[in-house]
Amino acid sequence: MDKIIVRGLNLWYGDFPALINVNADFKEKKITAIIGPSGCGKSTMLRVFNRMNDLIEGVRVTGEVDIDGTNAVSPEADLIYLRRKVGMVFQRPNPFPLSIYENIAFGLKIHGIERNADALAGVIEESLRRVLLWDDLKDKLKRSALRLSLEQKQRLCIARLLAVKSDVLLMDEPCSTLDPQATERIEELMRELKNNYTIVVVTHNMQQAARVSDETGFMLLGEMVEFAATREIFTAPKDKRTEDYITGRYG
Amino acid sequence: MRKFKEFIIEKLILICGSASIFFVALIFVFLLKEGLSLFKTVRLGAFLFGKSWYPISEPAELGILPLILGSLLVTAGAAVISVPIGVGCAVYIAEIAPGKVKEVLKGGIELLAAIPSVVLGFIGMVTLVPWVKNIFHLPTGLTALSGSIMLAFMAMPTIVSIAEDALYSVPRSYKEGAFALGATHWQTIWRVLLPAASSGILAAVMLGIGRVIGETMAVMMITGNSAVIPHTILAPVRTLTATVAAEMGEAVVGSEHYFALFAVGIVLFVISFAINVTADLFLHRERR
Ligand SMILES: Nc1ncnc2c1ncn2[C@@H]1O[C@H](COP(=O)(O)OP(=O)(O)OP(=O)(O)O)[C@@H](O)[C@H]1O
Ligand SMILES: [Mg+2]
């Protein structure tokens, strides 16, 4: 099953074309990695899926991004619903400067999902359990989230999405600020989450792409050069440019 | 030669720096010396909590409770008016206003800050005071409320500009995180940006209030100058500052009255100092 179907997607920052005729199918409940050299448009691509590019002035988009049967890039798309469904984890963990509890309650409150205090606490516990933070933090829920370690912060940011029942998780270099052990643990969590979520992860780290993803897209200068099963991309790339990149020729 | 020049410049700067500290110390010592002399003849409690201020009757009654309450009432009124409007304005400028409107508003606020207080007092006297009188059917429009409204105008520029800075310095990533969760602009402002900027906004409020409590000219012109304990905000009041300004000229040097006015100065100083320190604490908490 394809969760996100991208057809003829173009995006311009002013006059600069950042995405050029991109076509790709992201499979449901799989991890898809997007790799490519710096500036090739990976983040831009992710930010199309939850329309975060709308925050930037002078962005123009054409084409189609079909998520569950609705076109996410159409001007009529319901952004609030879209962003609730398609959650995003940022490169630098960005918990709100509120308590751990409030960080997760935030999404539930703004969407009016849970108002009852007991039910709220239940959802918060479940979300924290799923990202393996509950045991460490259950007595510290009133503490500021800014006092957590980087890894804990990133987990909390993931928990925030689970609480509002997102079903697509966009992750833009989610481990780039973490140490190798923490990275490994987050990758473990991603594998676990893929049972229920469709994950799209942007990464600079080709080993990471090879380790966690089922499918991989390679981008270059705004184009989706090759998009296929990860094993295929890394062992038998069809495009010369993909081969050059994974053998380290672009650096 | 260059080294020598450096040396001279360094010393000059040092002298300027020490001079300012020296003058502050001098003012402080003078204020204390004159003000504390009062307490050779008047008890501190009777001064602070005495209910009547008749400095030139025989014997003089030097209780400043009506003045303290007058100052507090006018200031509290000004805060109630200026804080919501000021913070709202800061949110509008920092988050909502499109480029052009933002520039115009910021210019307007700067202009408001540049109006001398005597001019504001004068405008208040000829416009605001009659309004207050007519709207509330009062014998006089020279009331605490008039003072509060006028002072709110003076506190506003401080509150707006500092609160706006505080909002700007909220990391962009918080806002992105909120939007990415599907929050509306208003939800983002209310639930994330304002709490994130709260210490800076509190500092803005404190500094705005600090400006108001030390203000003299405008309040002297429009609050009615009656040293009676006010029971409503529609009563005329007299503030600490207005008292000193109005009576210093006629107090006989070395008299009890004269010392009492200095003691009022100390009270004002303590209040302002406390407010500034609190504001500073909030600002530092934010930086950490
Ligand atoms: N707000 C913007 N305004 C103008 N140009 C932009 C903007 N954001 C990105 N770009 C340009 O678009 C191109 C793609 O940027 P993008 O951030 O998507 O790259 P990326 O693949 O995520 O790179 P990195 O690996 O460095 O994160 C780059 O050339 C970048 O300079
Ligand atoms: Mg990027």
Side-chain angles (χ1 to χ4, degrees):
Chain A
M1 259 291 279
D2 292 330
K3 184 79 175 175
I4 307 176
I5 302 163
V6 180
R7 289 290 174 267
L9 180 67
N10 291 283
L11 183 145
W12 292 266
Y13 290 116
D15 296 332
F16 175 79
L19 296 177
I20 302 161
N21 191 26
V22 172
N23 296 290
D25 300 321
F26 296 79
K27 294 210 168 62
E28 185 165 22
K29 297 189 181 163
K30 299 278 181 213
I31 299 179
T32 306
I34 299 179
I35 59 171
S38 197
C40 68
K42 305 182 295 294
S43 301
T44 303
M45 174 92 171
L46 275 200
R47 293 164 63 94
V48 168
F49 296 162
N50 67 346
R51 293 281 292 272
M52 286 300 279
N53 286 323
D54 286 22
L55 301 185
I56 302 167
E57 241 168 85
V59 171
R60 198 156 54 83
V61 183
T62 65
E64 213 174 295
V65 173
D66 185 301
I67 302 179
D68 287 342
T70 51
N71 183 8
V73 296
S74 103
E76 288 95 51
D78 177 353
L79 290 193
I80 290 174
Y81 177 72
L82 176 71
R83 287 175 181 158
R84 181 178 156 193
K85 177 155 76 177
V86 183
M88 180 169 245
V89 177
F90 294 80
Q91 186 167 3
R92 307 208 110 263
N94 60 347
F96 303 125
L98 308 171
S99 70
I100 293 163
Y101 182 95
E102 286 296 334
N103 260 277
I104 300 181
F106 178 85
L108 299 166
K109 287 182 182 164
I110 58 168
H111 293 297
I113 299 176
E114 280 305 347
R115 294 185 194 278
N116 173 307
D118 286 340
L120 200 63
V123 176
I124 288 169
E125 172 173 346
E126 196 203 313
S127 310
L128 286 173
R129 276 193 194 283
R130 298 210 59 174
V131 297
L132 307 178
L133 281 178
W134 179 252
D135 291 332
D136 290 340
L137 300 183
K138 60 173 179 256
D139 303 320
K140 303 172 188 162
L141 297 180
K142 294 275 168 261
R143 249 204 221 175
S144 168
L146 301 185
R147 289 170 59 190
L148 298 173
S149 73
L150 274 174
E151 181 191 350
Q152 288 175 319
K153 282 182 185 168
Q154 200 60 300
R155 285 175 185 269
L156 182 66
C157 290
I158 296 172
R160 210 157 66 172
L161 304 178
L162 306 188
V164 296
K165 309 228 178 333
S166 298
D167 53 20
V168 177
L169 303 182
L170 307 174
M171 303 182 152
D172 194 347
E173 306 191 38
C175 302
S176 65
T177 59
L178 304 182
D179 62 53
Q181 284 81 34
T183 299
E184 205 169 294
R185 289 191 295 266
I186 295 283
E187 287 174 7
E188 187 55 46
L189 176 63
M190 289 166 67
R191 270 186 222 105
E192 155 76 29
L193 289 173
K194 125 179 137 169
N195 293 320
N196 298 290
Y197 300 88
T198 305
I199 298 177
V200 183
V201 56
V202 162
T203 176
H204 257 126
N205 177 334
M206 274 184 283
Q207 284 77 29
Q208 181 170 61
R211 277 194 305 262
V212 298
S213 69
D214 304 293
E215 302 226 300
T216 297
F218 169 63
M219 293 183 68
L220 190 62
L221 298 172
E223 288 184 71
M224 184 66 79
V225 173
E226 193 165 349
F227 192 99
T230 300
R231 190 176 318 114
E232 226 171 280
I233 292 270
F234 280 94
T235 55
K238 292 207 173 62
D239 196 293
K240 179 79 172 59
R241 291 168 292 177
T242 315
E243 187 180 339
D244 286 348
Y245 181 71
I246 58 170
T247 53
R249 237 165 279 176
Y250 290 102
Chain B
M1 187 58 205
R2 176 163 287 170
K3 258 210 167 124
F4 181 69
K5 223 165 130 186
E6 290 280 310
F7 176 81
I8 294 288
I9 291 173
E10 242 171 58
K11 291 301 165 210
L12 270 177
I13 293 172
L14 180 71
I15 290 172
C16 295
S18 344
S20 63
I21 294 177
F22 176 72
F23 286 128
V24 169
L26 210 62
I27 290 170
F28 191 61
V29 166
F30 187 70
L31 187 65
L32 275 185
K33 181 176 143 293
E34 302 288 84
L36 293 181
S37 306
L38 177 72
F39 301 112
K40 284 179 209 148
T41 53
V42 180
R43 279 183 309 109
L44 180 64
F47 175 67
L48 286 180
F49 304 115
K51 290 201 180 73
S52 32
W53 174 258
Y54 298 120
I56 37 186
S57 62
E58 258 327 308
E61 288 192 62
L62 298 169
I64 61 167
L65 190 62
L67 313 181
I68 293 179
L69 291 179
S71 275
L72 288 184
L73 184 62
V74 172
T75 306
V80 166
I81 298 167
S82 62
V83 169
I85 299 179
V87 173
C89 187
V91 168
Y92 183 72
I93 292 179
E95 277 299 313
I96 299 166
K100 265 247 167 71
V101 179
K102 184 186 295 189
E103 291 314 309
V104 171
L105 267 178
K106 286 176 86 163
I109 301 273
E110 264 162 46
L111 210 62
L112 186 58
I115 300 176
S117 80
V118 66
V119 174
L120 269 182
F122 173 67
I123 294 173
M125 215 155 129
V126 296
T127 58
L128 186 65
V129 169
W131 281 342
V132 170
K133 179 176 144 110
N134 293 336
I135 291 171
F136 296 99
H137 307 293
L138 300 171
T140 167
L142 298 168
T143 59
L145 179 66
S146 316
S148 294
I149 295 173
M150 234 44 232
L151 287 185
F153 278 106
M154 285 182 215
M156 216 100 76
T158 311
I159 295 179
V160 173
S161 59
I162 296 177
E164 185 203 334
D165 274 351
L167 284 166
Y168 271 126
S169 61
V170 173
R172 205 185 142 70
S173 64
Y174 295 160
K175 197 169 155 183
E176 287 190 330
F179 275 120
L181 273 165
T184 61
H185 199 167
W186 170 244
Q187 287 170 328
T188 305
I189 291 171
W190 181 248
R191 291 183 184 269
V192 176
L193 297 186
L194 283 176
S198 61
S199 39
I201 291 174
L202 275 171
V205 169
M206 295 310 276
L207 291 173
I209 291 177
R211 163 115 210 255
V212 162
I213 211 159
E215 173 51 41
T216 311
M217 212 51 224
V219 284
M220 198 153 88
M221 291 165 80
I222 58 180
T223 54
N225 286 318
S226 117
V228 189
I229 292 180
H231 293 288
T232 87
I233 197 157
L234 295 173
V237 294
R238 164 182 275 202
T239 63
L240 292 164
T241 48
T243 306
V244 177
E247 296 176 10
M248 205 41 148
E250 58 205 47
V252 180
V253 176
S255 69
E256 234 177 18
H257 185 196
Y258 172 88
F259 290 137
L261 291 178
F262 273 95
V264 168
I266 296 178
V267 171
L268 264 174
F269 178 83
V270 168
I271 296 175
S272 299
F273 186 72
I275 289 175
N276 279 320
V277 168
T278 322
D280 232 40
L281 281 180
F282 284 127
L283 279 179
H284 280 292
R285 197 181 69 185
E286 182 180 43
R287 242 169 255 142
R288 245 188 292 126

